[in-house]
Structure formats: structure tokens, C-alpha cells
Amino acid sequence: MSKKHDTPLLDELEKGPFPSFVTEMKMAAKHSDMSNDLLGHTELCYKERVTHWKHGGIVGVRGYGGGVIGRYSDIPDKFPGVAHFHTVRVNCPSGFYYTSAALKEMCDLWDQYGSGMTNVHGSTGDLVFLGTKTEHLEPFFAEISSRGWDLGGSGSALRTPSCCLGKSRCEWANIDTMAITNDITQHYQDEMHRPAFPYKFKFKIAGCPVDCIASIARADMSIIGTWKGPIRINQDEVQNYAKKMNIQAEIIDMCPTGCMAFDGKSMKIDNANCNRCMHCIAKMTKALRPGTEQGATLLLGSKAPIVTGALMSWVIVPFIKMEPPYEEFYDLIDKIWEWWDEHGKNRERIGELIERLSFPRFLKDVGLDPHPAMVKEPRRDPFFFWDESDIEK
Amino acid sequence: MSLPDRQTDIGPPHYSKFLPPVIAKNYGKWLYHEVLSAGTMVHVSESGEKVYTVRAATPRLLSTDRIREFCAIAEKHCGGHLRFTSRNNVEFMVDAESKVAPLVKELNDKKYMVGGIGPRISNVVHTQGWVHCHSAATDASGLVKAIMDDVHEYFTDKELPNKVRIAVACCVNMCGAVHCSDIALVGVHKTPPRIDDNNVKNFCEVPSTISSCPTSAISPDPAKKSVKIKLEKCMYCGNCYSVCPAMPIADAKNDGIAIVVGGKVSNLRSDPTFSKLVVPWIPNNPPRWPEVTDAVQKILKAYVAGAKKHERVGEWIDRIGWEGFFRETGFEFKYQHIDDFTFARETFRMAATFKWS
Ligand code: HEM
Ligand code: HEM
Ligand code: HEM
Ligand code: HEM
Ligand code: SF4
Ligand code: SF4
Ligand code: SF4
Ligand code: SF4
């Protein structure tokens, strides 16, 4: 396609060392009318300093309640190429690994049915195919699903679970994040594709408390790998580090629990007082490793500030073995969803519901025992209740 | 042309189909890793085998032709395997040290920014903005580009006391994960939606418009067959505009950017924390938002000057106090900085100990 719109403002964003999204739009515009108009449309947004997109009706593929985000321009006459510009969310493979053959096949299909623009990846982890018309949704879906791909989640449904790369390339992974993510995704296909929840629900799975997938901040259920028992120490390697770093200042003094000691020869850790923050392990990768009794901590509840303020997930199960077939885990999830379904208001996240009805009540209803790991400190007030069974008659 | 038979509920392809052989063979057997340079690291397995990773930035918004170029690089150097990181970088992996230099050279020759590993600034987590969203109070991709151009040395080369994670969300819905970043920019509207009563009557369904509002700010206006907004309840989220196009919220003069800092998601040393407000509003100044990049530089400069090795931005601020942060950066402290929302009381200083700013 030949150039259709002048884009003096966007052209400024092709200068400089960081790769430019404008260059990407121009590359796609070479063979897509939609992307050509996307350039002009975006330039106008830059010029007027407002967005020109609007919502405008639910679109999707047959049998699915999500996976497509409808998007329309509010000035379709000027930019017919983006009159419809819907997003298709395609479920990523766990760990974001690809072969060139698979990606190229998807690119060819997207050039045929869409704008040629993508997000790799969307913030939820989906492969986002950005910009197509309603009538192309079904054919695109038939093409990709026949090649083994499926849509991700949107709306009041389970959203595409995602994870850090875990055991595939990280020595700190205490759980097999990629296997768990794939299993959860396959286990709950119906919950993902046919929205039936009060609101969205997200799983994110991190192999250790470094949490490279930011699960604690952006997943209703955060699964974070952890261990029990002693940190493994290789004293010879500790000696090697002693030659190149100030172990006292950088490790011992920065340990948040003050549970480490180093006398110049050997390192000691008071493991009962370690809170597994990962600092020492991350800084002395050759000398220290997580303990061998490995599993995960389950945390629940994080959400963005809308409506009553942001939450981070908090501990509901201090330790669980995460090994196939994950029965104990799925039993718990089913109970949590049932409770949410029964008590949750429309558009109420699980974390907000627990705040409204109380954390102790949630624990009782889903059958979890209280544990000091669940709170930073006990309550400060004397306003607590008792069950009938606690009262002497 | 006939279409193939569609399949449903098959889920994503199994990841094992995509793993490079050296990764598949050493899955779960990694012993340790070392950062070799800003853009390369090596992981060493119990078996003695090694995988070298080379990381480069992408703008996340990618054309199919760019993906094909990544594929060609992967085919030439990595047996056709590649992956992406959760912060929008692309990673190429090879199984021998001798294969690293030619790969890095090709990426450099093609003008890719190789880096983002170690105590540096990695790529920016961000959302859609003016490129694709109706709620946007600013653009995301343009801000990311302007900021990363400005701080690119901290991606490709220079070290910081620790990692600095930057994020951009284009409105308060924050479809990203901004609120727990070292430095995050959030698009903010300062004005509520404007109601075009005539068009509400013609194009919108009143009950669904009312129920779209998360704060119940919208009520019927029967006389006009339209709706009205209780201004003190509106939090400028734009949800009503999603269902009712006659209530636009975008406002060129009053939309802008807030900056929040000091958050983190890792458990390293200190607990994960939310980012806190340091600049309530900067007007949109596309295409390069110089006031925003200046503010980011101010924060970075104060952090580099003041933080101890391994301290994240939030840990540094914890040590010097927020009053110390405002002193070091010179940002003005305003009414908007004082919380009046859900968690307000926990933020009041109930002690006589503070530092003079
Ligand atoms: C009521 C509030 C919200 C509304 C109205 C909203 C609306 C939207 C819309 C319209 C999009 C599509 C953007 C596009 O491609 O055109 C989107 C994307 C997205 N939203 Fe939200 N959203 C809301 C809250 C959230 C929250 C709280 C989160 C998570 C923290 C979230 C996560 C996402 C993600 C991950 C995407 C994909 C965006 C990307 O990859 O850039 N959303 N949202
Ligand atoms: C079993 C529980 C508690 C007991 C038996 C207790 C007892 C007392 C007593 C005897 C005093 C001294 C009163 C006086 O002679 O001036 C006092 C003062 C005080 N208590 Fe408690 N207290 C309890 C719990 C708490 C809690 C939970 C709080 C706050 C969270 C609290 C806050 C205070 C304060 C602020 C004062 C100083 C009051 C003043 O001088 O104005 N107390 N308490
Ligand atoms: C001092 C703190 C941190 C250390 C030592 C650390 C360490 C690492 C290491 C070693 C990797 C490479 C893992 C691998 O690819 O084998 C990694 C990847 C990553 N980290 Fe961190 N990390 C830290 C903090 C964070 C934080 C706070 C975030 C997010 C907010 C984060 C996000 C990521 C991401 C997105 C990746 C790429 C993951 C992927 O490849 O998908 N990291 N980190
Ligand atoms: C510039 C500011 C911010 C940006 C750009 C931002 C961006 C994001 C993004 C990209 C996500 C990830 C969504 C996903 O992939 O699932 C997210 C999630 C989240 N953010 Fe923020 N955020 C910002 C500020 C804040 C603030 C100030 C808070 C809290 C005080 C906060 C709390 C959260 C929480 C709790 C989540 C998990 C949300 C959920 O899944 O509902 N964010 N944010
Ligand atoms: S979260 Fe832990 S296990 Fe996963 S990649 Fe990050 S450091 Fe490795
Ligand atoms: S993991 Fe953290 S708490 Fe435990 S010993 Fe290491 S630095 Fe200390
Ligand atoms: S943060 Fe706001 S403007 Fe940006 S994609 Fe999400 S809803 Fe749209
Ligand atoms: S912008 Fe949000 S809070 Fe304000 S009236 Fe609309 S839906 Fe309600």
C-alpha cells in the first residue's frame, strides 16, 4: 500500500535508540489498509491529545463468550480502515517459548485476516492480534484452532494463566511453573471461554519469591514457589565470593531477618528465622540454593485500585505440594469459586468479597485452618465474635 | 477457498513443542547462572551443559514483518527457537559461548538494543493508550519510547544500585501492573464524563449505563430521558463511556500523567509494596513528553546519588523517609499527595519523628 497519511508527530517517535512502535505501524501499513489508517488515526490522537476509540457492542466467535475485545473508531468516515479494529487474544504457550515455524504461520494468517499488528504479549500474557473486522473473526479462529491454538480469556471469566519460565531456565524454581500453568489452563477451558463468574479471575505462577511474573500484584490467585528446611550452602563457593564481594555488607547486613553469620571462613544460616526472601540466594547464585523440600505458598486477592483501592494477594495456604494431578489444589479452587459465586456481587473481585464478608469467615467457609503466616500481626481491637460451639451453656 | 474445521476448548499448544533442545534436556537441572554483560547471561546445568541467553528490547507493538525478522535471526543462530519475557523483551538462546558474539553482532548491526539484564532498567510494562483504547488519558507506547530513549544507557550498559522497573498505564483502570513498580506513570483524567443528553436518549440504554458505574455515581434524569453524574462520587474511570458513547471523558486540556514510585513485587529483602504518588499531574505533551522524562531523570538521579548497593527505589526511600525523598528530588508536596481514600488512616504520621525537608 502506498502512504496515505502524513504523520509529522509520530515521525518524531522514530528517532532515538529504542525500537519504535511507529516503525512497526509503518511496516504493517506497507501491506495493510487497516494499519495505514491506524497510523493516520493515531497521528490525529497525538495532534488532538485525546483518544478516538470507542466501545460499541460485544463481538466474538461462535460458542465463546470472550477472547475478542470489540473496538471501533469514533471517526470511521475519516479512517474506514479502523472503523472496526477488534483485538483477538490468543492463549500463549507457558513460558513464552516459540519456534519460528509456529510464529511465521501465525503471522501469515494475521496478514490474511487482520491488520498485521500484534502485541507480544498483552499484559495478561496473551498473544494479542490487534485489529480486525467482525467478519474475519470466524475464519481467523477456524484457521488458528485447526492448527492447535485457542483463544484466551476476557470478561467475567478465568483469564489466561501465565507464569515465569521456572524450571526451564531458572535454578531457583521450587515448582514446575510451566507444567502447572498448562495444567490449570487445560483443566478450566470452560471457565475461560464462557464467562460465568461475578468478575475476572487470574492465576499467575512464579517459581520463587522473586516473583518475576508479578503474581502477587496482579493475580487473584498467586502461586509462589517456596521451600521448607535449610538453604543449601556450598562453603567452597562462599570462599570464592568472599574474594570478590563484601559478604558482611552486601549479604549478612542486608538479610532482613538477621539470621545469617559469616566468620570469614564459613557461612551459617539460622533457617528457623529465615523468611525466604531470596536476597542471599540471588546475590550468591553459585554458593546458595533453596532447600530441597519444595512446594508453593498460595496467596489470594490482588486487584487494581478500582473500586475501593488496590490489594496485593495475601497468604491463604502457607505450603502446598504442587505435583500432578494437583487434586488438593483443584478441590480448594472449586470451593473458593463456589463461595465467590454464592456471595459475590456482580463485578466484585474475590479479594473485595473477602474484605466485605471477612477473612475469618472465608477461611471457615472453604475449610482452611487459621495460621500465623496469614497475617502480619493479630488484630488490635477486642471486637471479635464467637461461634455457638465456643459458648458454655 | 474453504476453511479448515474449527476446534474448540483445546487450549494453547503444549510448551514442550517449543523448547530449544538444550532447555528441554536440562529442564529442572539448572545449578546457577551468571550475568555476563548487560544483555547476556549464562545458565549452567548439573550436567555441565550451558545455555547462553541474549536479550533485546522490543516495543511490544510488533508488526508481523518484525516477528518474521526475529524468526530469521532465530533460524540463523538458534535452530529456530526464541522466547519473549514478561517485560516485552525478546530472548535468543544458544548452547555454546562461541555462538554468542555473532548473534550479538547481528542484533547490534540491525540496531536492536541488547541489554536489560542485571541491576539496570529493563523494558517497560505498558498498556494500549491512544493506539487502541477508548479510556486512555494518555498514550502508552509514545511515553515508553520517549522514556526509554532518554534512559537507554541504563538498559544497554550502565549499572544502577539495583533494578529499576518502569511501567506505564494509560488510565486509572491500570490494565498492566503499574502500581507495584519502582517508577510508574498513570494516565489520569481530571474531569468527569460530559453528558450529551440528546445522544444518551438516542444511543444509550439507561439501566446498563447506570449499572456500569463502579461507584454508583450515575442516576437517571427522567425529565431529560438521560442520566446525571454525582460529581463527588465519580473517579473518572471511563466505564460509563464504554457502554454509552454519549458520555465521552477524554479532555485534551485536563488529561495528563501522574507519577507513582517506590513499589516492587519481589520479596527480596523487604515485602512487596505499592508505588506511592510523587507527582499528581503533568499535562500531556506529545510526541515526547519532555516534562515527564525530566521528572523520571530527577528520580533516577536522586536514587543513584542516595541509594546503597542493592537497595531498590522503595528501600532507599524507606531509609531516608518520604520527606527525605521530596527533599532530594525537589518535587512539590501538594494536597493530592495526602490520602483521603480507603487506606488513608494508615498513612498519617502518628509519631513526632520525622526529618526536616
Ligand atoms: C473497570 C475497569 C476496566 C476497564 C473498563 C478496562 C477496559 C479495558 C479495555 C477496553 C481493554 C482493551 C484495550 C484494547 O486493547 O483496546 C483492556 C485491556 C486490558 N485490561 Fe482492562 N479494564 C479495566 C480494568 C482492568 C484491570 C483492573 C486490569 C488488571 C489489573 C485490567 C487488565 C487488562 C489487561 C491485562 C488488558 C490487556 C491490555 C494490554 O495488554 O495492553 N483491566 N481493559
Ligand atoms: C486488655 C487490654 C487492655 C487493658 C487491660 C488496658 C489497660 C489500660 C490501662 C490500665 C491504662 C491506663 C489508664 C490510666 O490510668 O490512665 C491504659 C491506657 C491506654 N490504653 Fe490500654 N489497655 C488495653 C488495651 C489497649 C489497646 C488494645 C489499646 C489500643 C489499641 C490501648 C490504648 C491505650 C491508650 C492509648 C492508653 C492511654 C490513654 C490515655 O492516657 O489517654 N489499650 N490502658
Ligand atoms: C533484585 C531483584 C531481582 C532479581 C535478582 C531477579 C532475578 C532475575 C533473574 C535471575 C531472572 C532471569 C531468570 C531467567 O530468565 O532465568 C529474572 C527474570 C525476570 N525478572 Fe527478575 N529479578 C528481580 C526482581 C524482579 C522484579 C521486581 C521483577 C518484576 C517486577 C522482575 C521481573 C522479571 C522478569 C519479567 C523477568 C523475565 C522473566 C521471563 O523471562 O519471563 N524481576 N529476574
Ligand atoms: C502508573 C501506575 C500504574 C501502572 C502503570 C500499573 C500497571 C499495572 C499493570 C500493567 C497490572 C497488571 C495487570 C495484569 O496483567 O493482570 C497491574 C496490576 C495491578 N496493579 Fe497496578 N499499576 C499502576 C499503579 C498501581 C497502584 C498505584 C496500585 C495500588 C495502589 C496498583 C495496584 C495493582 C494491583 C493490585 C494489580 C493487580 C490487579 C488486578 O489483577 O486486578 N497499581 N497494574
Ligand atoms: S520467579 Fe523465581 S523461579 Fe521464576 S524466573 Fe524469577 S527468579 Fe526464577
Ligand atoms: S533468604 Fe533472605 S531471610 Fe533467608 S537467609 Fe537469605 S537473606 Fe536472610
Ligand atoms: S489502562 Fe485504561 S486506557 Fe489503558 S488499556 Fe487499560 S482501560 Fe485502556
Ligand atoms: S467515569 Fe466512572 S466513576 Fe465516573 S461516572 Fe463514569 S463510570 Fe462512574
Side-chain angles (χ1 to χ4, degrees):
Chain A
M1 314 282 143
S2 58
K3 179 170 155 179
K4 217 168 137 188
H5 307 281
D6 281 332
T7 54
L9 291 172
L10 292 180
D11 294 349
E12 285 298 313
L13 289 171
E14 289 198 274
K15 300 173 185 164
F18 188 74
S20 169
F21 70 101
V22 177
T23 307
E24 299 302 313
M25 295 203 278
K26 288 185 177 174
M27 284 164 76
K30 282 195 191 129
H31 39 79
S32 160
D33 257 339
M34 297 184 89
S35 289
N36 223 331
D37 270 353
L38 177 66
L39 265 172
H41 195 265
T42 308
E43 175 74 14
L44 189 69
C45 294
Y46 266 68
K47 191 165 153 218
E48 297 181 353
R49 304 184 179 188
V50 290
T51 183
H52 276 290
W53 296 107
K54 62 172 185 179
H55 224 65
I58 308 280
V59 284
V61 301
R62 187 158 43 85
Y64 279 44
V68 179
I69 316 279
R71 177 66 67 244
Y72 304 82
S73 169
D74 67 7
I75 36 175
D77 299 341
K78 270 197 201 150
F79 300 99
V82 294
H84 299 196
F85 204 68
H86 312 318
T87 293
V88 185
R89 291 183 174 171
V90 173
N91 199 144
C92 56
S94 307
F96 300 143
Y97 287 90
Y98 298 94
T99 56
S100 58
L103 280 181
K104 286 193 295 191
E105 188 174 59
M106 294 296 269
C107 287
D108 292 347
L109 291 171
W110 191 236
D111 282 344
Q112 189 181 343
Y113 293 104
S115 69
M117 288 304 297
T118 71
N119 287 143
V120 184
H121 295 83
S123 305
T124 341
D126 294 294
L127 268 173
V128 169
F129 290 86
L130 203 65
T132 189
K133 299 177 200 303
T134 308
E135 62 269 26
H136 287 163
L137 291 170
E138 277 297 337
F140 182 64
F141 178 66
E143 297 272 16
I144 63 166
S145 66
S146 68
R147 288 168 171 80
W149 298 85
D150 204 342
L151 299 188
S154 71
S156 294
L158 176 63
R159 300 302 182 82
T160 304
S162 68
C163 61
C164 77
L165 49 49
K167 286 182 184 289
S168 76
R169 205 189 61 198
C170 186
E171 66 271 24
W172 302 332
N174 293 283
I175 48 174
D176 190 346
T177 56
M178 286 166 42
I180 293 166
T181 303
N182 191 259
D183 204 85
I184 293 174
T185 311
Q186 293 292 354
H187 194 89
Y188 290 124
Q189 282 291 299
D190 193 39
E191 285 77 0
M192 213 160 121
H193 292 140
R194 280 158 284 274
F197 290 158
Y199 201 10
K200 63 179 105 171
F201 194 95
K202 301 175 183 176
F203 289 99
K204 292 202 191 321
I205 299 98
C208 82
V210 173
D211 196 359
C212 295
I213 195 74
S215 70
I216 200 160
R218 39 181 214 148
D220 298 273
M221 166 139 314
S222 319
I223 303 173
I224 300 182
T226 194
W227 70 91
K228 289 182 169 178
I231 290 178
R232 285 174 282 173
I233 308 179
N234 178 335
Q235 299 289 359
D236 293 340
E237 288 292 348
V238 172
Q239 284 301 322
N240 287 336
Y241 277 103
K243 289 174 206 145
K244 55 188 182 191
M245 78 192 309
N246 182 343
I247 292 184
Q248 185 64 38
E250 291 186 45
I251 307 295
I252 312 296
D253 293 348
M254 292 190 97
C255 166
T257 61
C259 72
M260 307 182 77
F262 180 59
D263 59 9
K265 293 195 204 75
S266 74
M267 176 171 278
K268 287 206 179 63
I269 299 179
D270 171 9
N271 284 287
N273 281 310
C274 162
N275 66 9
R276 299 175 311 288
C277 81
M278 290 295 295
H279 172 70
C280 57
I281 296 175
K283 298 298 176 247
M284 301 176 70
T285 58
K286 283 184 170 176
L288 303 176
R289 303 177 72 190
T292 49
E293 190 186 346
Q294 302 185 332
T297 300
L298 302 184
L299 304 92
L300 192 70
S302 76
K303 51 168 283 289
I306 297 262
V307 175
T308 55
L311 292 171
M312 276 196 249
S313 295
W314 64 90
V315 175
I316 63 160
V317 176
F319 190 81
I320 183 172
K321 283 269 174 203
M322 286 297 286
E323 279 157 10
Y326 315 106
E327 270 170 46
E328 190 189 346
F329 171 76
Y330 286 129
D331 280 350
L332 177 63
I333 299 301
D334 290 343
K335 275 190 214 145
I336 292 172
W337 283 351
E338 221 171 276
W339 188 77
W340 184 36
D341 191 48
E342 185 176 342
H343 302 288
K345 298 191 220 167
N346 185 29
R347 289 172 61 96
E348 186 171 41
R349 296 283 285 268
I350 184 78
E352 293 168 314
L353 173 61
I354 296 174
E355 272 201 303
R356 180 163 66 83
L357 293 188
S358 99
F359 187 26
R361 163 142 181 219
F362 165 79
L363 293 174
K364 275 183 211 161
D365 286 357
V366 302
L368 292 170
D369 292 330
H371 190 286
M374 295 170 175
V375 295
K376 286 187 194 146
E377 56 183 34
R379 70 195 302 145
R380 304 169 200 179
D381 61 76
F383 310 138
F384 37 78
F385 294 100
W386 298 96
D387 281 340
E388 274 299 302
S389 59
D390 297 319
I391 311 293
E392 298 278 347
K393 291 271 157 65
Chain B
M1 203 176 51
S2 75
L3 286 170
D5 283 339
R6 79 209 286 275
Q7 302 189 65
T8 55
D9 298 312
I10 56 171
H14 197 270
Y15 56 86
S16 58
K17 289 167 56 179
F18 299 135
L19 300 180
V22 61
I23 294 283
K25 240 164 63 197
N26 296 289
Y27 197 101
K29 300 196 186 125
W30 300 105
L31 258 188
Y32 67 91
H33 76 279
E34 284 179 296
V35 176
L36 304 174
S37 72
T40 58
M41 61 181 162
V42 59
H43 285 77
V44 181
S45 160
E46 285 165 1
S47 69
E49 281 189 284
K50 297 178 178 177
V51 63
Y52 293 84
T53 301
V54 179
R55 188 180 287 178
T58 87
R60 186 178 90 122
L61 200 59
L62 298 180
S63 64
T64 46
D65 283 346
R66 177 72 58 196
I67 297 172
R68 289 186 183 99
E69 185 168 293
F70 290 154
C71 289
I73 295 170
E75 283 166 6
K76 189 160 150 200
H77 297 271
C78 317
H81 292 274
L82 71 165
R83 74 176 290 271
F84 294 84
T85 72
S86 47
R87 300 193 76 89
N88 312 321
N89 296 308
V90 60
E91 286 184 341
F92 300 97
M93 282 155 283
V94 293
D95 56 10
E97 192 170 8
S98 59
K99 299 178 183 173
V100 174
L103 172 55
V104 171
K105 180 172 183 315
E106 170 148 14
L107 289 167
N108 283 331
D109 288 349
K110 295 205 153 91
K111 302 275 182 248
Y112 287 105
M113 262 172 66
V114 174
I117 303 179
R120 298 189 171 80
I121 294 179
S122 184
N123 208 338
V124 179
V125 171
H126 63 279
T127 46
Q128 302 290 11
W130 292 337
V131 174
H132 201 246
C133 192
H134 65 286
S135 301
T138 185
D139 189 33
S141 309
L143 270 170
V144 170
K145 167 77 174 141
I147 292 166
M148 286 306 288
D149 278 345
D150 210 50
V151 303
H152 70 273
E153 287 174 329
Y154 288 118
F155 185 93
T156 53
D157 177 25
K158 280 196 194 162
E159 292 199 357
L160 290 155
N162 201 338
K163 293 171 197 295
V164 172
R165 301 297 192 191
I166 305 182
V168 174
C170 26
C171 84
V172 295
N173 289 327
M174 296 194 196
C175 305
V178 199
H179 49 305
C180 299
S181 304
D182 295 279
I183 303 177
L185 315 176
V186 197
V188 287
H189 300 287
K190 280 194 340 201
T191 50
R194 298 175 301 281
I195 303 171
D196 178 340
D197 291 319
N198 250 337
N199 279 335
V200 170
K201 195 167 55 193
N202 297 332
F203 297 117
C204 304
E205 207 201 13
V206 170
S208 64
T209 306
I210 290 173
S211 68
S212 76
C213 176
T215 65
S216 309
I218 305 178
S219 54
D221 188 344
K224 294 182 184 146
K225 295 207 171 110
S226 177
V227 294
K228 52 190 176 194
I229 297 178
K230 209 179 216 150
L231 293 184
E232 65 278 13
K233 275 191 164 179
C234 175
M235 59 206 285
Y236 318 144
C237 70
N239 269 9
C240 49
Y241 178 59
S242 309
V243 299
C244 174
M247 299 175 70
I249 184 165
D251 174 347
K253 287 201 202 102
N254 287 295
D255 291 347
I257 291 143
I259 303 184
V260 297
V261 312
K264 81 197 235 303
V265 295
S266 86
N267 286 269
L268 290 149
R269 300 169 301 283
S270 53
D271 289 349
T273 19
F274 290 124
S275 314
K276 283 45 173 225
L277 183 70
V278 296
V279 181
W281 192 77
I282 299 177
N284 273 317
N285 191 359
R288 284 208 163 260
W289 286 272
E291 298 84 358
V292 173
T293 53
D294 282 357
V296 169
Q297 284 289 3
K298 230 186 233 179
I299 296 163
L300 279 177
K301 229 179 247 158
Y303 166 65
V304 170
K308 294 185 189 165
K309 191 168 180 191
H310 304 315
E311 272 180 343
R312 292 280 293 268
V313 171
E315 293 170 296
W316 161 63
I317 298 173
D318 241 15
R319 184 164 53 77
I320 65 168
W322 283 95
E323 67 277 28
F325 174 85
F326 282 92
R327 181 187 62 219
E328 295 305 316
T329 53
F331 289 131
E332 189 187 346
F333 192 81
K334 302 182 173 173
Y335 287 115
Q336 282 82 4
H337 286 106
I338 300 177
D339 199 345
D340 58 1
F341 199 44
T342 316
F343 307 116
R345 64 155 78 166
E346 315 220 330
T347 66
F348 304 154
R349 188 183 308 276
M350 298 174 180
T353 47
F354 56 88
K355 298 167 190 171
W356 299 114
S357 43

